């Protein structure tokens, strides 16, 4: 199968689950023998632009005509079987969908967040759930300055949502929701249910599992309000006041609250702030964890760190809402705390560190759940299945696609697609 992946890479200065998912899917498909090409822009490149170029970036968020022209030419020259769209903010824009329509190529899109119904994509404001813009004009987001606490910065996102909502809903053959919880929210918001499929992200197998009881509790992620880092600090203070849990808290990541977190941890021997880890360091830190904690205050659409913990045979303490509810089996593979409740989070951390035997059992159960639902083999099978569904749907509508031509000709290329799927299972 010939796949073109479209993605605007997030800044490398902060951890990005989306960048990681894209890289892992591309590697997985290539290892299975599929031809994968990338059409990318990088947010890191904005810094090198001229002053005028930087000023023009917000104008490109709703529509980038140069991208449409470039991508259309590429698609007509290469004729991929399917285009897989991930993030298009801020440099690609929904113009990529127009390019796919120009070239007549089927499109699938992974929805990593809620940008289809909420300008900043979080369904949250001031640390609380917010749905003011869902099913309505996104003016409340501008009024509240929901993106980066800035009305001016929110305007391009609000315009983008207003002018391109229907383009997304009609221009994508298949949407991949990364959890059932996310799909439920999007269907309730009016997105076309028949085009929304649940396709969980997969996680590469680390090749080994945790041995022993572990050395620390691990927070691995962005240091931001929505990720619950302030909630975790409050819960850890409560635990420390009661004598602690016997192991330190390791905080790995970067983000807007980095200074606040570093100042909070200064002079303490029960907290270590270690900065931004690379993938190898993340795996090693997880393998040495008593538990991984994911206290997000927003409705996470997935929760990659939870599945990475599962793969390492480590239980998780996570907020009891959003996708975490379907990822963590409470009392079996980890614990769910009451969202936005520091006391409940502290109690779960106390419980998960108190009994090493039970902790080991939960970790083993988490590993089994990973193998059944989130391994590379499962991820590849579901990815190819959804690609074929999108291609078949476009062909059924009478539109000519490269795959339709291959199937009608009985080409060897079409045969290779079938064998690739069989080899992956």
């Amino acid at each position: 199968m010939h796949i073109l992946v479209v993605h605007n890479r997030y800044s490398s200065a902060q951890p990005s689950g989306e960048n990681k998912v894209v890289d892992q899917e591309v590697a997985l498909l290539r290892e299975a023998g599929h031809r994968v090409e990338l059409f990318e822009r990088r947010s890191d490149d904005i810094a090198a632009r001229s002053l005028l170029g930087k000023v023009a970036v917000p104008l490109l968020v709703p529509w980038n005509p140069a991208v449409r022209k470039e991508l259309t030419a590429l698609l007509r020259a290469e004729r991929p079987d399917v285009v897989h769209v991930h993030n298009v903010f801020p440099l690609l824009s929904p113009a990529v969908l127009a390019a796919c329509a120009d070239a007549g190529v089927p499109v699938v899109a992974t929805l990593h967040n809620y940008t289809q119904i909420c300008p900043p994509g979080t369904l949250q404001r001031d640390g609380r759930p917010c749905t003011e813009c869902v099913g309505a004009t996104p003016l409340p987001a501008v009024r509240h300055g929901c993106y980066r606490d800035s009305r001016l910065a929110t305007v391009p996102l609000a315009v983008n949502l207003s002018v391109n909502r229907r383009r997304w809903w009609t221009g994508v053959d298949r949407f991949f929701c990364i959890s059932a919880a996310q799909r439920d929210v999007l269907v309730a918001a009016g997105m076309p249910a028949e085009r929304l499929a649940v396709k969980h992200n997969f996680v590469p197998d680390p090749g080994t599992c945790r041995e022993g009881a572990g050395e620390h509790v691990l927070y691995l992620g962005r240091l931001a309000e929505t990720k619950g880092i302030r909630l975790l600090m409050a819960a850890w203070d409560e635990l420390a006041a009661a004598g602690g849990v016997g192991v330190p808290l390791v905080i790995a990541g970067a983000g807007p609250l980095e200074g606040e977190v570093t100042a909070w941890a200064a002079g303490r021997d029960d907290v270590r702030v270690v900065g931004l880890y690379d993938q190898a360091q993340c795996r090693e830190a997880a393998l040495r964890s008593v538990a991984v904690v994911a206290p997000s205050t927003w409705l996470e659409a997935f929760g990659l760190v939870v599945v990475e913990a599962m793969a390492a045979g480590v239980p998780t303490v996570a907020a009891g809402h959003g996708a975490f509810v379907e990822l963590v089996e409470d009392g079996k593979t980890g614990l769910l705390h009451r969202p936005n409740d520091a006391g409940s989070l502290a109690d779960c951390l106390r419980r998960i560190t108190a009994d090493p035997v039970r902790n080991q059992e939960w970790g083993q159960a988490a590993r089994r759940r990973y193998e059944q639902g989130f391994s590379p083999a499962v991820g590849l099978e579901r990815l190819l299945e959804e690609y074929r569904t999108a291609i078949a749907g476009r062909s059924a509508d009478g539109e000519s696609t490269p795959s339709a031509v291959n199937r009608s000709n009985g080409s060897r290329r079409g045969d290779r697609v079938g064998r690739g799927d069989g080899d992956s299972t």
Side-chain angles (χ1 to χ4, degrees):
M1 191 176 288
H2 182 187
I3 304 116
L4 180 72
V5 173
V6 174
H7 182 50
N8 191 126
R9 299 188 71 84
Y10 290 88
S11 169
S12 59
Q14 296 181 5
S16 166
E18 290 186 37
N19 286 351
K20 184 184 293 187
V21 166
V22 172
D23 292 342
Q24 290 172 347
E25 285 190 352
V26 168
L28 183 70
L29 288 163
R30 285 174 173 169
E31 288 168 5
H34 301 283
R35 179 184 172 191
V36 184
E37 296 174 290
L38 296 172
F39 185 82
E40 290 187 328
R41 292 292 187 271
R42 295 174 179 268
S43 293
D44 285 346
D45 295 339
I46 295 174
R49 291 185 171 219
S50 66
L51 179 60
L52 184 60
K54 292 176 182 175
V55 171
V57 167
L59 303 178
L60 302 178
V61 171
W63 196 255
N64 188 331
V67 162
R68 178 180 184 176
K69 182 178 180 181
E70 181 183 348
L71 182 56
T72 299
L74 177 64
L75 292 173
R76 285 174 172 166
E78 297 295 331
R79 300 302 296 170
D81 296 305
V82 66
V83 172
H84 189 162
V85 177
H86 288 271
N87 174 50
V88 299
F89 173 80
L91 299 175
L92 285 171
S93 84
V96 300
L97 302 179
C100 294
D102 293 341
V105 180
V107 184
V108 301
T110 295
L111 303 178
H112 294 276
N113 45 44
Y114 296 99
T115 51
Q116 298 293 319
I117 57 176
C118 168
T122 61
L123 289 179
Q124 187 180 59
R125 177 167 57 85
D126 297 331
R128 294 180 175 84
C130 176
T131 57
E132 282 193 60
C133 296
V134 176
T137 60
L139 290 178
V142 176
R143 185 169 66 251
H144 299 301
C146 289
Y147 181 64
R148 294 184 174 178
D149 294 321
S150 167
R151 292 178 178 176
L152 185 62
T154 306
V155 167
L157 292 168
V159 172
N160 179 37
L161 181 58
S162 294
V163 303
N164 289 310
R165 191 194 311 260
R166 290 296 170 187
R167 183 181 299 278
W168 279 104
W169 294 11
T170 59
V172 176
D173 296 275
R174 198 78 170 156
F175 289 103
F176 299 163
C177 299
I178 52 181
S179 68
Q182 181 195 33
R183 184 184 187 277
D184 290 344
V185 171
L186 295 174
V187 170
M191 288 191 68
E194 68 279 4
R195 297 189 185 185
L196 295 171
V198 176
K199 188 199 73 62
H200 292 131
N201 293 326
F202 76 94
V203 166
D205 194 327
T208 185
C209 290
R210 181 185 66 180
E211 296 181 0
E215 305 169 5
H216 52 241
V217 171
L218 177 65
Y219 172 90
L220 189 63
R222 193 162 180 260
L223 305 185
E225 178 71 31
T226 56
K227 293 296 184 179
I229 188 64
R230 282 184 172 139
L231 186 73
L232 176 57
M233 290 191 291
W236 200 258
D237 282 340
E238 182 176 325
L239 290 170
V245 294
V247 293
L249 170 65
V250 171
I251 298 176
L257 299 182
E258 188 170 354
E260 181 179 332
V261 173
T262 301
W264 169 77
R268 301 180 64 150
D269 58 10
D270 64 334
V271 180
R272 296 202 303 270
V273 179
V274 297
L276 192 61
Y277 273 171
D278 61 27
Q279 289 191 22
Q281 290 172 314
C282 289
R283 285 194 297 271
E284 180 62 25
L287 288 168
R288 293 188 287 111
S289 299
V290 177
V292 170
V293 57
S296 295
T297 59
W298 79 294
L299 298 176
E300 292 277 4
F302 187 61
L304 204 60
V305 67
V306 171
V307 182
E308 289 171 338
M310 287 183 191
V314 175
T316 308
V317 173
H321 60 179
F324 292 149
V325 175
E326 64 192 84
L327 297 179
V328 179
E329 295 181 272
D330 193 32
K332 294 181 180 180
T333 65
L335 293 171
L336 295 170
H337 70 85
R338 287 190 297 275
N340 299 287
D341 187 327
S344 176
L345 175 55
D347 181 61
C348 287
L349 288 169
R350 187 182 295 110
R351 287 175 59 197
I352 209 162
T353 56
D355 186 340
V357 174
R358 184 175 59 183
N359 185 285
Q360 282 283 98
E361 292 172 351
W362 287 352
Q364 291 165 1
R367 171 67 191 189
R368 290 193 295 271
R369 180 157 168 73
Y370 159 77
E371 292 171 349
Q372 294 165 1
F374 305 99
S375 67
V378 173
L380 180 63
E381 180 181 1
R382 291 177 178 169
L383 190 59
L384 294 177
E385 179 185 352
E386 293 300 337
Y387 284 163
R388 292 196 184 95
T389 299
I391 293 168
R394 180 66 66 95
S395 300
D397 290 339
E399 297 187 40
S400 175
T401 69
S403 291
V405 173
N406 288 337
R407 284 194 299 274
S408 65
N409 291 339
S411 71
R412 289 180 58 83
R413 183 179 177 191
D415 292 342
R416 285 198 300 272
V417 170
R419 286 198 299 273
D421 188 37
D423 291 342
S424 72
T425 56

